[in-house]
Amino acid sequence: MSGSTKTMGVMTVAALVAVTGYTAALGSNGWLWFGWVVLCLITIGMVAARGH
């Protein structure tokens, strides 16, 4: 994995922790989860593109 792909992976995991914490403390927010899913899909796309 390249440096940028690792950084995206770390950001994705950090965002998951943040969104989960927000949900536990203040209740669910669909837009936050939608944003996290988009970030996750971008990260997966970067990993897949790097594999070819």
Side-chain angles (χ1 to χ4, degrees):
M1 260 199 276
S2 71
S4 62
T5 306
K6 275 187 186 174
T7 302
M8 273 304 272
V10 169
M11 285 176 42
T12 302
V13 171
L16 175 61
V17 170
V19 171
T20 303
Y22 181 93
T23 298
L26 301 173
S28 185
N29 183 332
W31 284 109
L32 286 178
W33 285 106
F34 174 76
W36 182 80
V37 168
V38 170
L39 181 63
C40 187
L41 290 173
I42 292 169
T43 303
I44 291 169
M46 287 178 69
V47 171
R50 191 77 182 145
H52 289 286

